[in-house]
């Protein structure tokens, strides 16, 4: 008899344990962090070398005191996994102090709603460093995120970088129209040079070409119209843009194996003279100004904005501007030490990144910026001349549509996915989002 | 006697802990996951009740359908490849190499224990076209077979994936089936030989029926593994190009952790569970009938 | 390689003169040897290539064809993999996660297998079936609830989620395999033990466990490779870079500033492969013996 009781007791215990687990799980909000950061941690995409290098330099130099109080610790991961990782970490209340905002602003908005993202406008004003930000950068961030809650470590324009020497050798002028661009590509292909270096593994450098074409064809509101539901990606003019880029791939203008080429390899192709053109943001200036990486020489790199399309509504001075993949700050791990770090960065990052990397950030440069490399000067001038800034292809998409777009970019240019199906897939995800 | 063999206290001590851990960490979460299928949302945002919405979504979701289809395609191709190559290896060990098979067995078994990610990265580079042709492509070029970028097309990626997984695991199945073949009594084989059965006929009429049980457990084991494939796909193709090589497992993982939809992720996981259980039951059914006939 | 297993002690096929006409002996031997050579080449060539490539520099990777030999044989890549790639740390983490969970799985699973197979009580077949379900259900099904529980209970950010999950996920197969092994042990052994007045627990410790010692080793090895190669669980529950297991580490392997560093990556893979090889040579006899002992027969 007592044996039976004993098994009963075990059963009861098991049931109790189970239910307590269940209860604790349904209990909602777990522990709240609140300034117990052990390090000034940063989780960032691994192809973003500039921010890592610059923060490391600051931690050893101007911000050494802050670093002593709260050491900088950087973790990198492939850009394709950033969104996933950030959500996993947020789900465990384990967000690092700073983390790369998602590939889509929508994710940051979601995290913000859940109280995970620090309101930087308030924080930086409290710290008294609000005036150290570039107004243009503030505006860009607010346009994208609805409020100022990411650190604008980069302030970039995007366009096509080209190898001046190769263009001269083949008697080509800088293309002003899309047709001229294609003609130039054909000439390079004939000469055995890869016309466009492109990171097809991550896909976004390819979809940027689609949006570039779209903006030139339909004008700067092309993608806002899709977000507002006034237009669909499956409409003929939108499919036409995807088709144009697919045709570049079909003609072999991205070289072979574009789907397996990653960011570093693509950069290398361009900087070793194997490829004539390279669509990229100005964050790549760090690599361009780096003599060990750039064997064609910085003065051989030219910049053109995406050329106009015949009969299109857009113009070439509408330039994609963004704050790169910005970095958000975790609200849960904010404390005085983190504040110290943030104000030190805001005050000094602008000048340091200009001086060391020749890249433009969203912080005002104070003091010694060194002599600017000519390429950087070009970018500065272009930024000041820009009338309308436009966004990249996936800027207004949800996470799933973004991923669909970027993973299907390589199939689009290798011809295993038609332009219509490519747009249809993304539109479906937008509709279900 | 009975009472000792059925001693409840001993039973509780021996079985209790395992059953408790298993119940708490596996059975309860399984039920819980089923519960999730009626909700939308995730840990970050909170959950809202959605009724049968997730099942409806699954019914119409073309991506889920293609993931299901890919799961089947992969499972069938790799399971057949694994078991067939394993069987051929076992025959080689038993009938051709005989006593000297030990060294070869050891060599062929080795890839089984390599980390999946390491193998996948290796195959990525073997079949690479950029920055340089990998070894496999170089060898094919040498034979005059030019193949473009393997990973640019669904077909090419699928081929590399299947080749990799069969390469990795055939040694395991070789040893497993070898163990079954070795148990066939010599007398049976000898008397069959005296009856004039040699080569193919010997295998067809004597060896195959006698090794049916070990073959069956190999098939079940193999199917169970291949339906749940995750790491080799993730490390080799990451589900690409596009989502052409995305099995249900990876689609579920993405849905839950990238798109932040736990409910729908659980719904996909439930579908996968149903598939796994269903396939195993079908195999057992089928084999039982077959065995009674034989 | 001399340490290979011996064939089971049985007379293999007798060399009776068969009834059919044969090709000459040397031709058959040639075909046989060619076949074996091809097989070994297919299995080992990729690994050889991997090892050779692990000595190449970045520029050799980018500019030279795949079959070319490295210009210099030095261990720089290995040093890089070990230091900036944190391979040592990741291997330590993998051990921290796998050893405790392996021990738990084996002890609990063997005891449960004994209880289910040797002891006689009503409902044991049903319980065994319940365990069987666990073999078939994919881990995806338990991931999300566990994720939540670990988070709420504050376990995330430690090794515990991995240890607990691995233990539970490994149990069904262990229980099932151990039950099969116990089935092969003559019942008289246990009955004799209980006649001496020993209880069931004593019988288990004195006889049950020792009798299946070899089998335990086999199961432990199978489970070890399962855990060691797992990606799904470790990818979900390791948040911190410091806690990454070797698989997750390899998956996200990059150089100091996230550049793709081919040489150190190949070196990191080679470290894994060579480690596995050493382990394998130490224990392969055991694995194959165990499998041959009839563990997984229908």
């Amino acid at each position: 008899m007592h044996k039976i009781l004993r098994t009963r007791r075990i059963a009861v215990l098991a049931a109790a344990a189970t239910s307590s687990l269940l209860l604790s799980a349904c209990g909602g909000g777990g522990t709240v962090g609140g300034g117990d950061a052990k390090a000034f941690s940063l989780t960032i995409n691994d192809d973003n070398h500039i921010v890592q290098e610059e923060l490391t330099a600051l931690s050893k130099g101007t911000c050494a005191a802050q670093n002593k109080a709260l050491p900088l610790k950087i973790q990198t991961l492939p850009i394709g996994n950033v969104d996933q990782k950030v959500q996993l970490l947020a789900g465990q209340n384990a967000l690092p102090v700073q983390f790369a905002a998602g590939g889509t602003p929508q994710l940051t908005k979601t995290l913000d709603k859940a109280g995970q993202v620090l309101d930087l406008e308030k924080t930086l004003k409290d710290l008294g460093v609000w005036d150290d930000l570039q107004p243009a950068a503030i505006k860009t961030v607010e346009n994208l995120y609805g409020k100022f809650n990411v650190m604008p470590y980069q302030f970039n324009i995007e366009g096509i970088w080209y190898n001046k020497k190769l263009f001269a050798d083949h008697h080509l002028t800088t293309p002003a129209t899309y047709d001229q661009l294609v003609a130039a590509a054909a000439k390079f292909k004939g000469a055995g040079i890869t016309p466009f270096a492109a990171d097809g593994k991550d896909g976004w450098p390819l979809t940027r070409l689609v949006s570039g074409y779209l903006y030139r064809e339909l004008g700067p509101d092309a993608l806002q119209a899709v977000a507002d539901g006034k237009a669909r990606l499956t409409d003929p003019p939108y499919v036409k843009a995807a088709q144009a880029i697919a045709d570049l791939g079909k003609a072999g203008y991205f070289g072979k194996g574009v789907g397996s080429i990653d960011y570093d390899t693509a950069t290398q192709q361009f900087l070793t003279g194997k490829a004539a053109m390279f669509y990229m943001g100005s964050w790549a200036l760090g690599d361009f100004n780096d003599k060990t990486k750039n064997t064609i020489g910085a003065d051989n790199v030219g910049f053109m904005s995406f050329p106009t399309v015949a009969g299109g509504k857009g113009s070439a001075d509408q330039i994609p501007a963004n704050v790169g993949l910005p970095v958000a700050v975790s609200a849960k791990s904010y404390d005085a030490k983190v504040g110290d770090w943030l104000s030190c960065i805001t005050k000094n990052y602008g000048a340091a990144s200009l001086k060391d990397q020749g890249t433009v950030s969203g912080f005002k440069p104070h003091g010694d910026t060194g002599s600017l490399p000519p390429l950087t000067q070009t970018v500065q001038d272009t930024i000041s001349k820009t009338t309308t800034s436009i966004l990249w292809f996936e800027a207004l998409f949800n996470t799933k549509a973004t991923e669909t777009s970027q993973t299907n970019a390589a199939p689009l240019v290798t011809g295993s996915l038609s332009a219509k199906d490519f747009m249809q897939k993304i539109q479906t995800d937008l509709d279900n989002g | 006697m009975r009472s000792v063999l059925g001693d409840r206290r001993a039973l509780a001590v021996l079985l209790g802990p395992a059953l408790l851990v298993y119940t708490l960490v596996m059975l309860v979460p399984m039920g819980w996951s089923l519960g999730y299928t009626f909700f939308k949302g995730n840990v970050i945002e909170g959950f809202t009740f959605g009724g049968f919405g997730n099942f409806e979504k699954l019914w119409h979701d073309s991506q889920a359908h293609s993931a299901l289809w890919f799961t089947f395609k992969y499972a069938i191709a790799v399971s057949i490849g694994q078991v067939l190559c394993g069987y051929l290896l076992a025959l080689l060990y038993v009938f051709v190499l005989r006593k000297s098979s030990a060294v070869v067995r050891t060599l062929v078994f080795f890839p089984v224990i390599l980390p999946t990610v390491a193998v996948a990265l290796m195959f990525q580079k073997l079949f690479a076209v950029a920055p340089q042709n990998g070894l496999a492509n170089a060898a094919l070029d040498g034979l005059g077979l030019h193949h473009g970028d393997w990973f640019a097309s669904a077909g090419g990626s699928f081929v590399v994936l299947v080749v990799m997984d069969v390469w990795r695991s055939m040694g395991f199945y070789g040893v497993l089936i070898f163990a079954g073949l070795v148990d066939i009594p010599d007398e049976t084989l000898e008397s069959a030989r005296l009856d004039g059965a040699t080569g193919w006929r010997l295998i067809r009429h004597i060896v195959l029926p006698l090794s049916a049980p070990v073959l069956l457990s190999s098939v079940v084991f193999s199917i169970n593994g291949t339906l749940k494939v995750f790491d080799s796909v993730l490390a080799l193709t990451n589900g690409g190009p596009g989502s052409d090589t995305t099995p249900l497992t990876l689609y579920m993982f993405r849905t839950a952790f990238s798109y932040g939809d736990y409910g729908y992720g659980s719904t996909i996981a439930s579908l996968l569970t149903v598939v796994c259980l269903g396939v195993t039951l079908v195999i057992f059914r089928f084999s039982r009938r077959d065995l009674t006939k034989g | 390689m001399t340490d290979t297993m011996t064939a089971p002690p049985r007379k293999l096929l007798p060399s009776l003169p068969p009834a059919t006409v044969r090709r000459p002996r040397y031709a058959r031997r040639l075909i046989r040897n060619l076949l074996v050579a091809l097989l070994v080449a297919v299995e080992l060539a990729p690994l050889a290539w991997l090892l050779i490539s692990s000595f190449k520099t970045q520029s050799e990777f980018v500019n030279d064809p795949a079959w070319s030999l490295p210009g210099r044989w030095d261990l720089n890549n290995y040093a890089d993999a070990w230091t900036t790639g944190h391979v040592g740390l990741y291997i330590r983490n993998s051990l921290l996660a796998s050893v405790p969970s392996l021990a738990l799985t084996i002890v609990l699973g063997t005891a449960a297998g004994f209880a289910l197979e040797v002891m006689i009580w009503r409902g044991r077949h049903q319980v065994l079936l319940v365990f069987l379900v666990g073999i078939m259900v994919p881990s995806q099904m338990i991931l999300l609830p566990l994720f939540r529980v670990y988070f709420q209970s504050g376990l995330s950010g430690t090794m515990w989620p991995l240890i607990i999950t691995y233990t539970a996920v490994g149990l069904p197969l262990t229980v099932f395999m151990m039950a099969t092994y116990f089935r092969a042990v003559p019942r008289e052994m246990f009955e004799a033990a209980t006649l001496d007045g020993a209880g069931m627990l004593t019988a288990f410790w004195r006889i049950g466990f020792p009798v299946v010692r070899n089998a335990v080793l086999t199961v432990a090895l199978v489970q070890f490779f399962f855990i060691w190669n797992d990606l799904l669980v470790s990818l979900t529950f390791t948040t911190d870079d410091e806690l990454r297991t070797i698989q997750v580490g390899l998956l996200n392997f990059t150089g100091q500033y996230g550049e793709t560093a081919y040489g150190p990556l190949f070196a990191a893979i080679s470290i894994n492969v060579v480690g596995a090889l050493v382990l394998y040579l130490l224990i392969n006899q055991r694995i194959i013996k165990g499998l041959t002992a009839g563990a997984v027969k229908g």
Side-chain angles (χ1 to χ4, degrees):
Chain A
M1 184 68 228
H2 77 273
K3 282 179 189 161
I4 298 174
L5 270 180
R6 206 179 276 258
T7 37
R8 278 254 174 88
R9 204 175 305 155
I10 288 175
V12 168
L13 269 178
T18 315
S19 50
S20 67
L21 260 183
L22 279 166
L23 282 175
S24 72
C26 304
T31 50
V32 178
D36 51 357
K38 291 176 192 63
F40 190 57
S41 48
L42 164 71
T43 295
I44 195 160
N45 48 309
D46 55 20
D47 48 24
N48 187 336
H49 312 173
I50 300 174
V51 175
Q52 300 173 46
E53 287 173 28
E54 213 40 63
L55 284 179
T56 309
L58 282 177
S59 74
K60 289 178 181 144
T62 325
C63 303
Q66 284 80 356
N67 192 55
K68 206 169 160 159
L70 196 68
L72 172 74
K73 202 178 100 189
I74 298 175
Q75 296 183 15
T76 62
L77 46 135
I79 191 166
N81 305 357
V82 169
D83 286 12
Q84 206 172 57
K85 192 71 185 180
V86 164
Q87 291 189 69
L88 272 174
L89 292 168
Q92 307 185 39
N93 260 352
L95 277 173
V97 177
Q98 296 192 93
F99 54 94
T104 152
Q106 202 183 341
L107 173 59
T108 313
K109 288 177 187 164
T110 306
L111 290 175
D112 188 28
K113 259 193 242 143
Q116 299 265 16
V117 181
L118 187 67
D119 180 348
L120 278 170
E121 182 170 355
K122 184 177 173 306
T123 309
L124 296 183
K125 276 179 176 162
D126 290 348
L127 292 167
V129 291
W130 180 248
D131 293 338
D132 293 309
L133 290 162
Q134 305 256 32
I138 297 176
K139 199 163 163 294
T140 309
V141 171
E142 282 172 348
N143 281 347
L144 277 172
Y145 294 86
K147 60 202 242 196
F148 190 85
N149 56 9
V150 290
M151 295 285 276
Y153 284 119
Q154 298 167 314
F155 189 60
N156 304 303
I157 49 167
E158 292 175 16
I160 298 171
W161 307 86
Y162 61 97
N163 186 325
K164 288 181 188 167
K165 185 172 176 301
L166 284 176
F167 268 73
D169 291 351
H170 294 86
H171 315 296
L172 288 160
T173 52
T174 312
T177 68
Y178 190 77
D179 294 337
Q180 288 171 3
L181 183 79
V182 177
K187 200 157 185 178
F188 284 123
K189 173 112 187 4
I193 297 161
T194 304
F196 296 98
D199 161 16
K201 192 167 190 159
D202 296 318
W204 56 262
L206 294 170
T207 61
R208 294 260 208 292
L209 297 173
V210 176
S211 56
Y213 192 97
L214 265 178
Y215 285 126
R216 296 295 181 258
E217 170 90 25
L218 299 172
D221 301 328
L223 286 164
Q224 190 61 48
V226 174
D228 297 343
K230 289 187 194 128
R232 295 177 65 75
L233 291 173
T234 47
D235 296 346
Y238 288 86
V239 175
K240 184 186 160 198
Q243 188 58 54
I245 308 309
D247 291 343
L248 293 181
K250 198 171 160 191
Y253 296 159
F254 294 114
K256 65 174 186 178
V258 65
S260 351
I261 291 179
D262 61 12
Y263 182 89
D264 292 301
T265 313
T267 309
Q268 200 173 23
Q269 280 181 335
F270 178 65
L271 292 183
T272 51
K274 290 199 182 82
M277 292 177 274
F278 187 38
Y279 183 99
M280 199 36 70
S282 54
W283 56 80
L285 282 177
D287 290 342
F288 293 176
N289 291 327
D290 179 342
K291 287 190 180 60
T292 54
K293 283 186 182 157
N294 188 345
T295 58
I296 59 173
D299 11 345
N300 255 326
V301 177
F303 175 80
M304 58 173 151
S305 87
F306 199 95
T308 52
V309 173
K313 294 184 191 128
S315 71
D317 58 2
Q318 293 158 348
I319 293 195
N322 61 49
V323 280
L325 183 59
V327 173
V329 181
S330 158
K332 306 224 164 177
S333 56
Y334 183 78
D335 59 12
K337 287 179 186 167
V338 175
D340 256 6
W341 250 114
L342 292 181
S343 64
C344 181
I345 291 171
T346 311
K347 283 203 284 263
N348 300 303
Y349 191 94
S353 82
L354 272 178
K355 186 169 179 237
D356 303 342
Q357 311 268 356
T359 58
V360 184
S361 72
F363 304 103
K364 286 180 188 160
H366 299 296
D368 173 29
T369 56
S371 57
L372 283 191
L375 260 183
T376 309
Q377 197 57 56
T378 313
V379 170
Q380 289 272 51
D381 297 346
T382 315
I383 289 179
S384 57
K385 278 201 307 244
T386 304
T387 53
T388 318
S389 70
I390 44 184
L391 293 171
W392 67 99
F393 189 53
E394 296 92 354
L396 306 165
F397 293 177
N398 60 37
T399 313
K400 192 170 179 186
T402 301
E403 189 171 276
T404 302
S405 158
Q406 293 175 355
T407 52
N408 285 291
L412 171 73
V413 300
T414 54
S416 54
L417 185 72
S418 76
K420 193 163 176 302
D421 291 347
F422 173 77
M423 288 304 210
Q424 179 62 59
K425 271 187 171 185
I426 303 169
Q427 187 62 50
T428 306
D429 286 340
L430 289 176
D431 294 344
N432 293 339
Chain B
M1 181 84 260
R2 269 289 135 113
S3 66
V4 180
L5 282 174
D7 174 17
R8 286 189 180 277
R9 195 173 58 97
L11 187 65
V13 172
L14 291 172
L15 183 66
L19 201 57
L20 186 73
V21 170
Y22 175 65
T23 307
L24 286 184
V25 188
M26 285 192 81
L27 292 179
V28 172
M30 279 178 211
W32 195 340
S33 255
L34 279 178
Y36 268 146
T37 57
F38 299 104
F39 288 86
K40 275 188 76 65
N42 58 40
V43 177
I44 307 169
E45 295 171 70
F47 291 89
T48 48
F49 186 74
F52 285 96
N54 282 327
F55 293 96
E56 230 168 280
K57 190 170 167 182
L58 190 66
W59 188 252
H60 296 294
D61 182 0
S62 60
Q63 236 182 312
H65 301 169
S66 61
L68 179 64
W69 172 232
F70 178 81
T71 301
F72 275 129
K73 218 167 56 169
Y74 171 89
I76 289 167
V78 175
S79 291
I80 288 177
Q82 281 176 344
V83 177
L84 190 71
C85 290
Y87 203 88
L88 291 176
L89 282 173
L91 289 176
L92 179 85
Y93 298 157
V94 175
F95 292 106
V96 180
L97 296 179
R98 309 208 182 154
K99 287 206 170 109
S100 57
S101 77
V103 178
V104 179
R105 256 191 331 234
T106 309
L107 286 178
V108 178
F109 191 86
F110 176 56
V112 175
I113 60 166
L114 295 180
T116 321
V117 180
V119 172
L121 292 171
M122 186 173 87
F123 268 76
Q124 241 176 27
K125 303 288 176 279
L126 270 175
F127 286 86
V129 291
Q132 281 294 333
N133 258 345
L135 189 67
N137 269 357
L140 286 171
D141 276 359
L143 296 170
L145 299 164
H146 289 282
H147 194 291
D149 185 359
W150 288 87
F151 298 108
S153 68
S157 303
F158 184 71
V159 169
V160 178
L161 191 60
V162 171
V163 166
M164 174 178 96
D165 277 334
V166 171
W167 177 87
R168 241 164 45 102
S169 52
M170 65 185 189
F172 176 79
Y173 288 94
V175 170
L176 203 67
I177 296 166
F178 169 77
L181 292 186
V182 163
D183 277 356
I184 297 174
D186 289 347
E187 298 75 37
T188 319
L189 291 173
E190 246 171 273
S191 60
R193 281 230 170 97
L194 293 175
D195 292 345
T198 49
W200 169 240
R201 288 183 53 216
L202 181 76
I203 291 172
R204 166 85 186 74
H205 293 286
I206 310 291
V207 180
L208 212 51
L210 282 174
S211 59
V214 74
L215 206 56
L216 173 70
S217 47
S218 300
V219 168
V220 172
F221 203 75
S222 168
I223 280 274
N224 237 310
T226 50
L227 282 174
K228 296 180 203 167
V229 66
F230 178 79
D231 32 14
S232 50
V233 175
L234 184 78
L236 186 75
T237 66
N238 200 4
S243 52
D244 289 335
T245 55
T246 303
L248 282 174
T249 47
L250 189 55
Y251 187 45
M252 175 269 162
F253 191 76
R254 290 231 168 101
T255 303
F257 297 119
S258 285
Y259 318 144
D261 193 342
Y262 278 33
Y264 193 46
S266 292
T267 314
I268 298 167
S270 309
L271 172 68
L272 182 66
T273 307
V274 169
V275 168
C276 286
L277 292 173
V279 167
T280 313
L281 284 176
V282 165
I283 292 174
F284 272 123
R285 259 289 146 74
F286 172 77
S287 65
R288 195 162 295 155
R289 213 184 48 216
D290 207 301
L291 286 179
T292 49
K293 261 201 325 204
Chain C
M1 279 292 173
T2 50
D3 192 30
T4 48
M5 53 151 302
T6 45
R10 60 164 56 253
K11 223 169 58 162
L12 271 174
L13 306 168
S15 46
L16 277 174
T20 48
V21 182
R22 287 190 173 182
R23 269 162 294 179
R25 190 166 269 260
Y26 66 87
R28 292 185 64 225
R29 192 169 295 164
L30 185 73
I31 293 172
R32 186 187 86 179
N33 289 349
L34 275 177
L35 200 67
V36 172
L38 184 73
L39 180 72
V40 172
V42 163
E43 288 290 331
L44 297 185
L47 296 171
W49 176 70
L50 172 81
L51 278 173
I52 291 168
S53 302
S54 68
F55 294 96
K56 288 185 175 179
T57 62
Q58 186 80 357
S59 73
E60 282 173 333
F61 264 105
V62 175
N63 301 320
D64 300 354
W67 64 81
S68 63
L69 289 176
R72 300 182 34 213
W73 299 85
D74 56 30
L75 291 175
N76 285 348
N77 286 338
Y78 284 84
D80 281 351
W82 199 260
T83 51
T84 48
H86 305 301
V87 169
L89 173 75
Y90 297 151
I91 288 179
R92 196 202 66 181
N93 286 339
S94 274
L95 285 173
L96 279 179
S98 52
V99 172
S101 49
L102 195 62
L104 275 169
T105 302
I106 293 298
V107 171
L108 298 184
T110 310
F114 180 87
L116 287 166
E117 190 54 47
V118 177
M119 297 177 70
I120 298 170
W121 45 285
R122 201 182 301 177
R124 61 193 181 130
H125 296 296
Q126 285 78 353
V127 174
L128 193 60
L129 269 181
V130 169
F131 272 110
L132 202 55
V133 167
I135 298 183
M136 294 167 210
V137 172
S139 308
Q140 270 81 358
M141 200 66 199
I142 60 170
L143 220 49
L144 297 172
L146 288 181
F147 185 81
R148 245 184 121 173
V149 171
Y150 293 145
F151 163 52
Q152 306 279 18
S153 58
L155 286 176
S156 19
T158 63
M159 274 290 171
W160 284 108
L162 290 188
I163 295 171
I164 296 169
T165 316
Y166 288 146
T167 305
V169 170
L171 267 178
L173 189 65
T174 311
V175 169
F176 194 70
M177 279 172 96
M178 290 321 297
T180 323
Y181 282 115
F182 278 118
R183 197 171 301 161
V185 178
R187 293 199 73 87
E188 291 77 29
M189 285 181 71
F190 301 110
E191 281 168 6
T194 50
L195 282 182
D196 299 343
M200 221 53 239
L201 287 176
T202 329
F204 172 68
W205 277 121
R206 282 229 199 105
I207 298 165
F209 211 88
V211 154
V212 291
R213 208 170 19 197
N214 277 344
V216 165
L217 238 139
T218 307
V219 177
L221 284 169
V222 170
Q223 292 293 5
F224 175 75
F225 290 123
F226 263 125
I227 296 173
W228 192 258
N229 287 335
D230 158 83
L231 199 56
L232 179 65
V233 174
S234 51
L235 210 55
T236 311
F237 298 130
T238 47
T239 46
D240 201 342
D241 203 13
E242 308 287 303
L243 297 177
R244 274 182 188 171
T245 59
I246 185 71
Q247 304 300 327
V248 181
L250 276 182
L251 198 63
N252 297 335
F253 193 91
T254 46
Q256 193 169 5
Y257 287 117
E259 70 279 11
T260 320
Y262 290 110
L265 173 65
F266 272 63
I269 302 173
S270 298
I271 291 173
N272 266 286
V273 169
V274 172
L277 180 66
V278 170
L279 185 70
Y280 176 57
L281 290 180
L282 289 175
I283 57 176
N284 83 75
Q285 252 182 310
R286 289 269 177 204
I287 304 183
I288 296 186
K289 256 203 192 112
L291 280 175
T292 321
V296 243
K297 287 181 199 168

